[in-house]
Amino acid sequence: MDLRLPRPRAPRRPRRPVAAAAAAAVLAGAGTWTAVASDDAPPAHRADRVLPVDGVRLDTSYFTAGGPGRRPAVLLGHGFGGSKDDVRAQAEDLARDGYAVLTWSARGFGRSTGKIGLNDPSGEVADVSKLIDWLAEQPQVRLDAAGDPRVGVTGASYGGAVSLLAAGYDHRVDAVAPAITYWNLADALFPDGVFKKLWAGVFFSTGGGCARFEPALCAMYQRVAQSGTPDAAARRLLAERSPSAVAGRIEVPTLLVQGQTDSLFTLAQADAAQRAISANGAPVDVDWIAGGHDGGDLETGRVRARVTSWFDRYLKGDASASTGPAFRVTHTGGVDSTDGAALLRGASADHYPGLHSGPRPVPLSGGTQRFANPAGATPPAVSALPGLGGTGGLAQLSSLGIGVSLDFPGQYAAFESAPLADGLRITGSPTVTVHVTSTSEDAVLFAKVYDVGEDRARPVLPAQLVTPVRVTGARAGKDVTLTLPAIDHAVEKGHRLRLVLASTDLAYASPAAPATYTVSLKGDLTVPTATGVTTAAAPLPSWVWWLPLTGALLALGLLLTVR
């Protein structure tokens, strides 16, 4: 298993205008050189070289295409567990679009040496600055000043985080386009003080085992994995390696692409990034794609095209380049009868609505309920299954109306609405306030909202997402406002919403000691509807175009035959 993006079906490469001639880009020193051609574009020239950086050897590839002259540069990072080879196709496309592109394998991955530091500012982030130094010396790269190249940084997941960090630590970065990544790694792996144990385990196994990491990270993981509870030192270590640590210094145009089917880095991570970076005065657009670390459609072709346009505007300075709407979300619903793929439609707004726009109260009923946290926290409830994103993912099934989650009787409380008089679309994070009492000092709950159909037989958990919450001081009773997972989900007329509070979840660490929880509602469930977001018109089916033409040709044929 790895944390790279699940491999999508190869997108059809869009045809782009390119220069008629091609020039070779040759690196000084040792390296290998390759030309990659296509039918309608000049070849993208690749030069491979290992660069020594502070005692570490970074395996790099440099791509250019077209004629002579200087052009903006792009640094293209890869996902965790991967290498520079994973982003080669995108690098070639960007080179043919008029950029000088540098890819590299991060420390501890591919053929690069060094220990994995989870984007340590003194390690992986400092490496990016050295790569920018190198770009500034290349004759193909446009300069804003001596030693200061015009450069953007993009990448997904691990590579997305380093693009944000680079913008915060190096003033020479001019634009970034991170995808499905984190803003605060401590919040991502220890949400509300609960250990996301399966995803953390995937991190360390994908990285090649604890010994491949910096010693401080290895010790932190082993300590938290054994106790099941993150401590302050663990949170501090991960927070220091997160873009949120330099939030006030990220002042460049930022395109945030985040996945809806993602229990690792949720939509809330992009929301926090948007609020912080836009507060610095930088332009920020947000794009919620259908896929994510848990599978689904990554919309690779569309996203790459949007990233290129983003850089065209903010690196090339092309005022005619369309960067797209301030907010775009992909709606998923129905199945294409030709190939079984989920049908996607875009919706957009001219401003980012956040996670709580257009609130609508939905009354719930259920009274006061008691349920157990079983000894050893087993059997656990099932929501997402981290690490299975490459197989298509359970989250994609939920978008098609197929429920695959599991709650065990006696281990959860459920509160349900009446059938909805009208359909509604939830876009953002529902909220609700509950009163919690526990026989233990602390309680750990997993909150989720199901879409329950009229037959009530197969409730669907949108995107297979849950919100963990640690309630301290629960023995005396406590009111808690729960912010549920951010989703984009259409609820049909006649369906019900069901709030479930479970004591266990397979993906997280729960208290091993048995306890009894008592929960009651303190108000309605509030769901965001993002009323300013409008859905694009559905494309006309192909028969709208070919049927009249076919009819006209048939009529003409009959007329000629009769004559």
Side-chain angles (χ1 to χ4, degrees), residues 214 297 305:
E214 290 179 4
D297 192 331

Side-chain angles (χ1 to χ4, degrees), residues 160-514:
V162 84
S163 71
L164 288 166
L165 283 157
Y169 279 97
D170 197 316
H171 71 279
R172 296 173 296 177
V173 174
D174 298 293
V176 294
I180 63 169
T181 194
Y182 56 89
W183 178 246
N184 187 313
L185 189 56
D187 287 344
L189 293 183
F190 309 143
D192 207 359
V194 182
F195 180 40
K196 197 178 285 185
K197 64 178 183 180
L198 285 192
W199 269 124
V202 170
F203 259 118
F204 280 85
S205 63
T206 301
C210 204
R212 295 278 301 277
F213 289 76
E214 290 179 4
L217 289 170
C218 179
M220 179 275 295
Y221 171 68
Q222 291 181 334
R223 184 175 72 250
V224 175
Q226 289 180 46
S227 69
T229 305
D231 52 44
R235 285 195 58 86
R236 185 167 55 252
L237 181 63
L238 296 187
E240 290 170 349
R241 298 168 192 239
S242 299
S244 58
V246 288
R249 288 189 262 167
I250 303 176
E251 301 175 336
V252 300
T254 303
L255 173 63
L256 298 168
V257 178
Q258 204 73 359
Q260 297 179 52
T261 56
D262 203 320
S263 60
L264 176 58
F265 304 138
T266 65
L267 297 174
Q269 293 285 314
D271 177 73
Q274 190 279 339
R275 287 184 281 111
I277 299 171
S278 61
N280 298 333
V284 183
D285 286 358
V286 180
D287 196 314
W288 289 358
I289 62 173
H293 284 91
D294 291 333
D297 192 331
L298 298 170
E299 304 181 67
T300 306
R302 183 185 68 80
V303 170
R304 287 184 182 177
R306 186 168 188 187
V307 169
T308 300
S309 295
W310 190 260
F311 287 153
D312 287 349
R313 169 70 67 86
Y314 294 111
L315 296 183
K316 290 182 180 178
D318 181 358
S320 66
S322 174
T323 58
F327 175 64
R328 186 193 185 281
V329 55
T330 297
H331 293 337
T332 304
V335 176
D336 188 331
S337 60
T338 61
D339 59 7
L343 294 175
L344 307 180
R345 289 179 67 188
S348 61
D350 58 7
H351 69 282
Y352 174 62
L355 301 184
H356 305 287
S357 173
R360 171 177 166 178
V362 178
L364 303 176
S365 61
T368 299
Q369 301 182 42
R370 294 164 58 90
F371 58 102
N373 177 57
T378 57
V382 177
S383 53
L385 292 179
L388 295 185
T391 66
L394 297 180
Q396 185 175 17
L397 296 178
S398 72
S399 69
L400 300 176
I402 302 173
V404 291
S405 54
L406 176 65
D407 293 299
F408 286 96
Q411 294 179 201
Y412 68 91
F415 305 91
E416 196 166 282
S417 74
L420 298 181
D422 298 293
L424 67 85
R425 178 170 288 276
I426 303 173
T427 301
S429 293
T431 58
V432 66
T433 300
V434 297
H435 186 79
V436 180
T437 305
S438 173
T439 56
S440 56
E441 188 60 30
D442 292 353
V444 173
L445 301 175
F446 300 93
K448 43 198 165 182
V449 173
Y450 285 94
D451 177 351
V452 183
E454 294 187 60
D455 60 4
R456 310 186 71 170
R458 296 183 301 278
V460 170
L461 180 61
Q464 303 301 130
L465 295 176
V466 303
T467 290
V469 57
R470 184 178 296 277
V471 183
T472 59
R475 190 186 298 273
K478 194 171 186 178
D479 287 349
V480 181
T481 297
L482 304 173
T483 300
L484 288 110
I487 57 173
D488 181 77
H489 181 78
V491 185
E492 296 180 12
K493 176 182 177 180
H495 284 210
R496 303 167 188 259
L497 294 179
R498 179 185 297 165
L499 169 69
V500 168
L501 304 177
S503 59
T504 61
D505 191 273
L506 179 66
Y508 298 84
S510 300

Side-chain angles (χ1 to χ4, degrees), residues 45-272:
H45 303 291
R46 185 184 96 243
D48 298 328
R49 185 180 182 182
V50 175
L51 299 177
V53 177
D54 296 333
V56 172
R57 295 172 62 81
L58 295 181
D59 185 21
T60 71
S61 291
Y62 182 55
F63 299 81
T64 57
R70 291 182 178 270
R71 67 212 71 187
V74 173
L75 282 163
L76 180 54
H78 62 81
F80 195 87
S83 74
K84 66 174 189 176
D85 295 336
D86 296 339
V87 295
R88 176 175 170 177
Q90 186 179 3
E92 292 167 355
D93 279 351
L94 283 166
R96 284 189 284 266
D97 281 317
Y99 295 93
V101 184
L102 185 63
T103 66
W104 77 105
S105 295
R107 294 184 179 213
F109 296 110
R111 296 183 178 180
S112 293
T113 63
K115 296 281 189 179
I116 299 168
L118 293 184
N119 288 330
D120 184 354
S122 63
E124 290 88 347
V125 183
D127 292 343
V128 175
S129 288
K130 295 293 185 181
L131 296 176
I132 294 175
D133 291 342
W134 185 88
L135 284 170
E137 298 173 354
Q138 306 314 304
Q140 303 86 6
V141 175
R142 181 188 302 178
L143 300 180
D144 290 331
D148 182 1
R150 180 73 57 84
V151 62
V153 192
T154 185
S157 195
Y158 197 52
V162 84
S163 71
L164 288 166
L165 283 157
Y169 279 97
D170 197 316
H171 71 279
R172 296 173 296 177
V173 174
D174 298 293
V176 294
I180 63 169
T181 194
Y182 56 89
W183 178 246
N184 187 313
L185 189 56
D187 287 344
L189 293 183
F190 309 143
D192 207 359
V194 182
F195 180 40
K196 197 178 285 185
K197 64 178 183 180
L198 285 192
W199 269 124
V202 170
F203 259 118
F204 280 85
S205 63
T206 301
C210 204
R212 295 278 301 277
F213 289 76
E214 290 179 4
L217 289 170
C218 179
M220 179 275 295
Y221 171 68
Q222 291 181 334
R223 184 175 72 250
V224 175
Q226 289 180 46
S227 69
T229 305
D231 52 44
R235 285 195 58 86
R236 185 167 55 252
L237 181 63
L238 296 187
E240 290 170 349
R241 298 168 192 239
S242 299
S244 58
V246 288
R249 288 189 262 167
I250 303 176
E251 301 175 336
V252 300
T254 303
L255 173 63
L256 298 168
V257 178
Q258 204 73 359
Q260 297 179 52
T261 56
D262 203 320
S263 60
L264 176 58
F265 304 138
T266 65
L267 297 174
Q269 293 285 314
D271 177 73

